[in-house]
Amino acid sequence: TEDGKPLPEAKPLDRIITALAGPFFNILFALVLGTVIYFVGKPVPPLAEGLLITNVPKESVEFTKGLKAGDIIREVNGRAATSQQVTMMEYVMRDDVTLKVDRGDQKDLVIGPFTPKSNKNYENLRLMSIESESLYPAGLGGIAKGSAAEEAGLLSGDIIKKIDDKQIDYFYQIGDEINADDRKEFTFTIEREGQEKTFVIAPQIKSVDKAGMMFRNFPEIMDVIGESPAEKAGIKAGDAIVEVNGYPMKDLKEFKGVVARHQKEMMKVKLQRGAEVVELEFTPTHTYKQLGVGPQMSIQKINPVVQITRVVENTYDTIKALVSPNSGVDISMMSSFVGISSGMYKTVKQAGLIEGLSFVLMINVALAIFNLLPFPVLDGGHIVIALIEMLTRRKVPAAVLQPIYVVFMLLLMTFALYAT
């Protein structure tokens, strides 16, 4: 106390209740957020019937295991491939991946197990080497204002059945079909409330002033976007920019400036490809046709307890993957308050307030679990020590606890600094 007297001893049970209070209110707050999310509802895309493989690079592990373009992934590690996200999470979180695919009339072919390759350009994050399209139904959701679809009279809820004579089964086919050739107009057959209607639509022509190269460590090209001017010119991932139009490129800002100043002009680029120097030409403008529609969304109302249970399961999977030497997750991928704040801001900006509330719910549940881990300094450590005292009926000496607390506090601060 202030006058130097020892504070009265707190009983072990009182200390356990105090230590549980923080995590308890984390979960309580998550329940409140989950209730708000439940009543408002979350807009979610439809469940995909699978993933259609459009490209399998020959250097990929999937190619060596027998996966082919045209295959449809139905399951990943026994989970239905209902979205790209489900597949990506299985790639990242598990030691090995097993795919179940359909190939024409052949059903349930097993590809794997195999260990996905890490991508050095993404901090060694495991990514799918394959390119794929989600097999979403061809129902329309959002119709962009001022788009060709809105001007033609298409409505949210319409289902596209045909474009000219081409049958449309999945949403991705819409973009593929209108960009398949130089046609300006298309006849759309749609189903609306059980009746078929036809519309003649001229999709808007969009132009993106980009070459189609992605960088992480300039001048090395991390990736090349499919069907972009760079890909058509023969530029490949792993190439390094040496010169553009005869001028050496010092940094990415300078390169972007050159590209921006030479739209629709032929540019000469010198590349370092291994030991070889390659010279190619490209025009940094990518033109494509756009209808202005999005896939049909549904408003999902998920029970708050189910929301929290899913976060607990994901957190368990994450901890399990962290301690596994063979998974695609390691401690370098963890974030502290800077990364968490940045992630929250991006989530709200890109996906809206409800997704932002889901993010806060996730953080609260994960924080509760983290604090209950049985390490000194954390709430879980206090609970363990109090339980020991309850069982032994003896107080753990301060001379024993103090150095342990100091060591773990330094470890925790060091870890927080590293994650930051």
Side-chain angles (χ1 to χ4, degrees):
T1 62
E2 288 183 355
D3 56 6
K5 295 178 181 178
L7 287 166
E9 286 291 330
K11 295 177 183 178
L13 182 59
D14 293 334
R15 281 155 43 209
I16 290 173
I17 292 170
T18 304
L20 284 172
F24 172 75
F25 275 90
N26 279 129
I27 299 297
L28 195 62
F29 184 49
L31 275 171
V32 172
L33 293 175
T35 303
V36 173
I37 294 165
Y38 171 78
F39 280 108
V40 175
K42 285 180 67 173
V44 295
L47 298 179
E49 295 179 18
L51 300 181
L52 173 67
I53 306 305
T54 56
N55 182 39
V56 186
K58 290 185 178 179
E59 65 274 12
S60 68
V61 64
E62 292 92 341
F63 181 85
T64 62
K65 291 293 181 178
L67 192 67
K68 298 179 180 180
D71 288 351
I72 298 175
I73 298 178
R74 299 296 188 187
E75 291 183 5
V76 188
N77 290 341
R79 292 184 66 187
T82 54
S83 68
Q84 299 275 3
Q85 185 181 14
V86 167
T87 309
M88 183 193 74
M89 291 303 292
E90 290 298 315
Y91 263 65
V92 172
M93 302 291 282
R94 310 301 173 199
D95 294 356
D96 293 310
V97 172
T98 300
L99 306 176
K100 187 177 283 188
V101 307
D102 291 347
R103 181 178 297 160
D105 294 333
Q106 296 177 281
K107 305 296 182 185
D108 296 337
L109 294 176
V110 176
I111 305 293
F114 58 88
T115 302
K117 291 182 179 178
S118 296
N119 189 314
K120 64 183 178 66
N121 294 312
Y122 287 95
E123 297 178 351
N124 292 321
L125 184 66
R126 285 182 182 176
L127 296 175
M128 292 181 287
S129 304
I130 53 180
E131 296 175 20
S132 62
E133 293 282 2
S134 296
L135 296 181
Y136 294 129
L140 304 185
I143 309 290
K145 291 199 176 201
S147 66
E150 185 189 52
E151 291 175 2
L154 295 185
L155 301 175
S156 179
D158 288 348
I159 301 171
I160 294 182
K161 309 297 285 186
K162 284 185 180 180
I163 299 178
D164 292 334
D165 295 326
K166 172 75 173 179
Q167 182 176 329
I168 302 297
D169 297 311
Y170 301 107
F171 186 84
Y172 83 90
Q173 292 175 301
I174 300 169
D176 284 359
E177 186 62 22
I178 64 177
N179 285 287
D181 51 42
D182 295 331
R183 284 176 292 169
K184 299 288 189 293
E185 287 188 341
F186 301 84
T187 300
F188 284 74
T189 303
I190 65 103
E191 182 183 312
R192 179 182 294 170
E193 297 178 349
Q195 294 184 333
E196 285 196 351
K197 296 178 180 288
T198 58
F199 298 82
V200 177
I201 305 176
Q204 293 170 333
I205 296 175
K206 297 288 183 178
S207 182
V208 180
D209 298 333
K210 292 182 179 179
M213 291 175 260
M214 296 172 66
F215 298 90
R216 186 176 183 87
N217 298 307
F218 189 85
E220 184 179 340
I221 298 168
M222 179 179 73
D223 201 1
V224 177
I225 299 169
E227 298 299 315
S228 66
E231 186 190 59
K232 291 175 181 177
I235 296 172
K236 300 178 180 179
D239 291 349
I241 303 286
V242 178
E243 292 179 358
V244 177
N245 290 344
Y247 294 97
M249 293 291 105
K250 297 193 295 290
D251 54 38
L252 182 58
K253 184 179 179 181
E254 184 178 37
F255 175 72
K256 285 184 174 181
V258 171
V259 170
R261 289 192 299 272
H262 292 83
Q263 294 305 317
K264 300 180 182 177
E265 296 179 19
M266 185 66 74
M267 299 179 67
K268 294 182 179 180
V269 59
K270 183 182 287 186
L271 304 161
Q272 189 72 43
R273 183 175 292 170
E276 182 184 7
V277 174
V278 180
E279 294 189 15
L280 299 171
E281 295 180 342
F282 69 93
T283 302
T285 303
H286 177 45
T287 301
Y288 62 97
K289 285 172 277 187
Q290 187 179 64
L291 191 61
V293 297
Q296 192 167 17
M297 307 288 277
S298 61
I299 301 299
Q300 198 174 51
K301 291 183 177 289
I302 308 171
N303 185 296
V305 176
V306 173
Q307 294 180 52
I308 290 173
T309 303
R310 288 179 181 176
V311 176
V312 172
E313 290 171 352
N314 289 337
T315 305
Y316 169 77
D317 286 342
T318 303
I319 294 171
K320 185 178 174 183
L322 267 172
V323 299
S324 171
N326 300 319
S327 77
V329 179
D330 60 50
I331 200 168
S332 68
M333 297 174 185
M334 299 193 75
S335 294
S336 186
F337 65 93
V338 176
I340 291 169
S341 302
S342 172
M344 192 182 305
Y345 169 76
K346 290 176 182 176
T347 300
V348 173
K349 185 177 179 182
Q350 296 171 7
L353 182 60
I354 295 301
E355 283 297 334
L357 292 180
S358 293
F359 190 97
V360 178
L361 182 151
M362 176 191 71
I363 294 301
N364 271 272
V365 176
L367 187 61
I369 294 170
F370 179 78
N371 278 331
L372 286 173
L373 294 176
F375 299 128
V377 180
L378 299 178
D379 292 322
H382 292 304
I383 292 168
V384 168
I385 292 166
L387 285 172
I388 291 171
E389 292 183 3
M390 286 178 71
L391 292 172
T392 61
R393 298 182 181 277
R394 292 179 61 188
K395 185 170 178 60
V396 179
V400 173
L401 287 180
Q402 189 169 354
I404 294 174
Y405 278 140
V406 169
V407 169
F408 273 89
M409 178 59 81
L410 288 172
L411 286 171
L412 184 64
M413 291 172 67
T414 304
F415 170 69
L417 184 64
Y418 170 78
T420 301

mmCIF file of all heavy atoms in Angstrom, residues 231-249:
data_model
loop_
_atom_site.group_PDB
_atom_site.id
_atom_site.type_symbol
_atom_site.label_atom_id
_atom_site.label_comp_id
_atom_site.label_asym_id
_atom_site.label_seq_id
_atom_site.Cartn_x
_atom_site.Cartn_y
_atom_site.Cartn_z
ATOM 1 N N GLU A 231 2.434 -10.270 -71.480
ATOM 2 C CA GLU A 231 2.399 -11.705 -71.789
ATOM 3 C C GLU A 231 2.422 -11.937 -73.288
ATOM 4 O O GLU A 231 3.137 -12.817 -73.788
ATOM 5 C CB GLU A 231 1.151 -12.349 -71.179
ATOM 6 C CG GLU A 231 1.171 -13.874 -71.357
ATOM 7 C CD GLU A 231 -0.151 -14.528 -71.000
ATOM 8 O OE1 GLU A 231 -1.173 -14.179 -71.621
ATOM 9 O OE2 GLU A 231 -0.158 -15.399 -70.114
ATOM 10 N N LYS A 232 1.654 -11.141 -74.029
ATOM 11 C CA LYS A 232 1.609 -11.298 -75.479
ATOM 12 C C LYS A 232 2.963 -11.017 -76.123
ATOM 13 O O LYS A 232 3.297 -11.580 -77.168
ATOM 14 C CB LYS A 232 0.542 -10.389 -76.069
ATOM 15 C CG LYS A 232 -0.881 -10.814 -75.700
ATOM 16 C CD LYS A 232 -1.919 -9.816 -76.195
ATOM 17 C CE LYS A 232 -3.327 -10.257 -75.793
ATOM 18 N NZ LYS A 232 -4.354 -9.269 -76.194
ATOM 19 N N ALA A 233 3.752 -10.143 -75.481
ATOM 20 C CA ALA A 233 5.084 -9.828 -76.007
ATOM 21 C C ALA A 233 6.109 -10.916 -75.698
ATOM 22 O O ALA A 233 7.192 -10.938 -76.283
ATOM 23 C CB ALA A 233 5.557 -8.493 -75.439
ATOM 24 N N GLY A 234 5.779 -11.819 -74.768
ATOM 25 C CA GLY A 234 6.708 -12.883 -74.415
ATOM 26 C C GLY A 234 7.480 -12.633 -73.145
ATOM 27 O O GLY A 234 8.417 -13.364 -72.812
ATOM 28 N N ILE A 235 7.115 -11.590 -72.383
ATOM 29 C CA ILE A 235 7.776 -11.307 -71.110
ATOM 30 C C ILE A 235 7.332 -12.343 -70.080
ATOM 31 O O ILE A 235 6.163 -12.717 -70.031
ATOM 32 C CB ILE A 235 7.434 -9.880 -70.640
ATOM 33 C CG1 ILE A 235 7.993 -8.866 -71.644
ATOM 34 C CG2 ILE A 235 7.993 -9.598 -69.254
ATOM 35 C CD1 ILE A 235 7.558 -7.434 -71.396
ATOM 36 N N LYS A 236 8.274 -12.802 -69.235
ATOM 37 C CA LYS A 236 7.985 -13.886 -68.300
ATOM 38 C C LYS A 236 8.337 -13.495 -66.867
ATOM 39 O O LYS A 236 9.184 -12.619 -66.633
ATOM 40 C CB LYS A 236 8.786 -15.137 -68.679
ATOM 41 C CG LYS A 236 8.470 -15.673 -70.074
ATOM 42 C CD LYS A 236 9.339 -16.892 -70.393
ATOM 43 C CE LYS A 236 9.033 -17.440 -71.783
ATOM 44 N NZ LYS A 236 9.883 -18.603 -72.110
ATOM 45 N N ALA A 237 7.661 -14.153 -65.917
ATOM 46 C CA ALA A 237 8.016 -13.974 -64.509
ATOM 47 C C ALA A 237 9.463 -14.419 -64.302
ATOM 48 O O ALA A 237 9.889 -15.447 -64.833
ATOM 49 C CB ALA A 237 7.084 -14.791 -63.630
ATOM 50 N N GLY A 238 10.226 -13.642 -63.538
ATOM 51 C CA GLY A 238 11.640 -13.942 -63.319
ATOM 52 C C GLY A 238 12.562 -13.085 -64.168
ATOM 53 O O GLY A 238 13.747 -12.928 -63.848
ATOM 54 N N ASP A 239 12.026 -12.518 -65.276
ATOM 55 C CA ASP A 239 12.819 -11.579 -66.070
ATOM 56 C C ASP A 239 13.108 -10.335 -65.244
ATOM 57 O O ASP A 239 12.336 -9.978 -64.342
ATOM 58 C CB ASP A 239 12.062 -11.169 -67.343
ATOM 59 C CG ASP A 239 11.919 -12.306 -68.354
ATOM 60 O OD1 ASP A 239 12.590 -13.349 -68.159
ATOM 61 O OD2 ASP A 239 11.141 -12.150 -69.318
ATOM 62 N N ALA A 240 14.194 -9.651 -65.562
ATOM 63 C CA ALA A 240 14.547 -8.408 -64.869
ATOM 64 C C ALA A 240 14.663 -7.283 -65.889
ATOM 65 O O ALA A 240 15.309 -7.433 -66.935
ATOM 66 C CB ALA A 240 15.853 -8.561 -64.098
ATOM 67 N N ILE A 241 14.012 -6.137 -65.600
ATOM 68 C CA ILE A 241 14.040 -4.980 -66.492
ATOM 69 C C ILE A 241 15.438 -4.367 -66.476
ATOM 70 O O ILE A 241 15.972 -4.032 -65.417
ATOM 71 C CB ILE A 241 13.020 -3.914 -66.047
ATOM 72 C CG1 ILE A 241 11.605 -4.492 -65.990
ATOM 73 C CG2 ILE A 241 13.077 -2.699 -66.977
ATOM 74 C CD1 ILE A 241 10.944 -4.736 -67.294
ATOM 75 N N VAL A 242 16.019 -4.206 -67.651
ATOM 76 C CA VAL A 242 17.338 -3.566 -67.763
ATOM 77 C C VAL A 242 17.186 -2.163 -68.348
ATOM 78 O O VAL A 242 17.627 -1.170 -67.751
ATOM 79 C CB VAL A 242 18.294 -4.408 -68.640
ATOM 80 C CG1 VAL A 242 19.647 -3.699 -68.775
ATOM 81 C CG2 VAL A 242 18.479 -5.801 -68.050
ATOM 82 N N GLU A 243 16.524 -2.072 -69.519
ATOM 83 C CA GLU A 243 16.336 -0.785 -70.191
ATOM 84 C C GLU A 243 14.947 -0.718 -70.815
ATOM 85 O O GLU A 243 14.373 -1.747 -71.174
ATOM 86 C CB GLU A 243 17.375 -0.582 -71.304
ATOM 87 C CG GLU A 243 18.798 -0.407 -70.839
ATOM 88 C CD GLU A 243 19.760 -0.232 -72.016
ATOM 89 O OE1 GLU A 243 19.308 -0.281 -73.186
ATOM 90 O OE2 GLU A 243 20.962 -0.065 -71.749
ATOM 91 N N VAL A 244 14.429 0.500 -70.953
ATOM 92 C CA VAL A 244 13.198 0.737 -71.705
ATOM 93 C C VAL A 244 13.478 1.870 -72.687
ATOM 94 O O VAL A 244 13.909 2.958 -72.282
ATOM 95 C CB VAL A 244 12.020 1.118 -70.779
ATOM 96 C CG1 VAL A 244 10.777 1.432 -71.608
ATOM 97 C CG2 VAL A 244 11.721 -0.016 -69.807
ATOM 98 N N ASN A 245 13.257 1.584 -73.972
ATOM 99 C CA ASN A 245 13.546 2.548 -75.040
ATOM 100 C C ASN A 245 14.975 3.082 -74.962
ATOM 101 O O ASN A 245 15.241 4.261 -75.238
ATOM 102 C CB ASN A 245 12.547 3.710 -75.004
ATOM 103 C CG ASN A 245 11.152 3.295 -75.416
ATOM 104 O OD1 ASN A 245 10.969 2.233 -76.010
ATOM 105 N ND2 ASN A 245 10.164 4.110 -75.111
ATOM 106 N N GLY A 246 15.903 2.209 -74.530
ATOM 107 C CA GLY A 246 17.315 2.564 -74.480
ATOM 108 C C GLY A 246 17.758 3.240 -73.204
ATOM 109 O O GLY A 246 18.951 3.524 -73.027
ATOM 110 N N TYR A 247 16.821 3.505 -72.270
ATOM 111 C CA TYR A 247 17.176 4.185 -71.023
ATOM 112 C C TYR A 247 17.187 3.191 -69.855
ATOM 113 O O TYR A 247 16.225 2.450 -69.663
ATOM 114 C CB TYR A 247 16.187 5.308 -70.720
ATOM 115 C CG TYR A 247 16.232 6.432 -71.715
ATOM 116 C CD1 TYR A 247 15.311 6.477 -72.764
ATOM 117 C CD2 TYR A 247 17.193 7.436 -71.630
ATOM 118 C CE1 TYR A 247 15.346 7.503 -73.699
ATOM 119 C CE2 TYR A 247 17.235 8.467 -72.556
ATOM 120 C CZ TYR A 247 16.320 8.493 -73.595
ATOM 121 O OH TYR A 247 16.362 9.512 -74.511
ATOM 122 N N PRO A 248 18.272 3.181 -69.057
ATOM 123 C CA PRO A 248 18.301 2.296 -67.880
ATOM 124 C C PRO A 248 17.217 2.707 -66.879
ATOM 125 O O PRO A 248 16.936 3.893 -66.707
ATOM 126 C CB PRO A 248 19.703 2.531 -67.289
ATOM 127 C CG PRO A 248 20.492 3.185 -68.375
ATOM 128 C CD PRO A 248 19.512 3.961 -69.196
ATOM 129 N N MET A 249 16.617 1.695 -66.223
ATOM 130 C CA MET A 249 15.566 1.940 -65.231
ATOM 131 C C MET A 249 16.142 1.777 -63.827
ATOM 132 O O MET A 249 16.607 0.699 -63.468
ATOM 133 C CB MET A 249 14.412 0.958 -65.436
ATOM 134 C CG MET A 249 13.640 1.145 -66.734
ATOM 135 S SD MET A 249 12.660 2.682 -66.770
ATOM 136 C CE MET A 249 13.662 3.697 -67.873
#
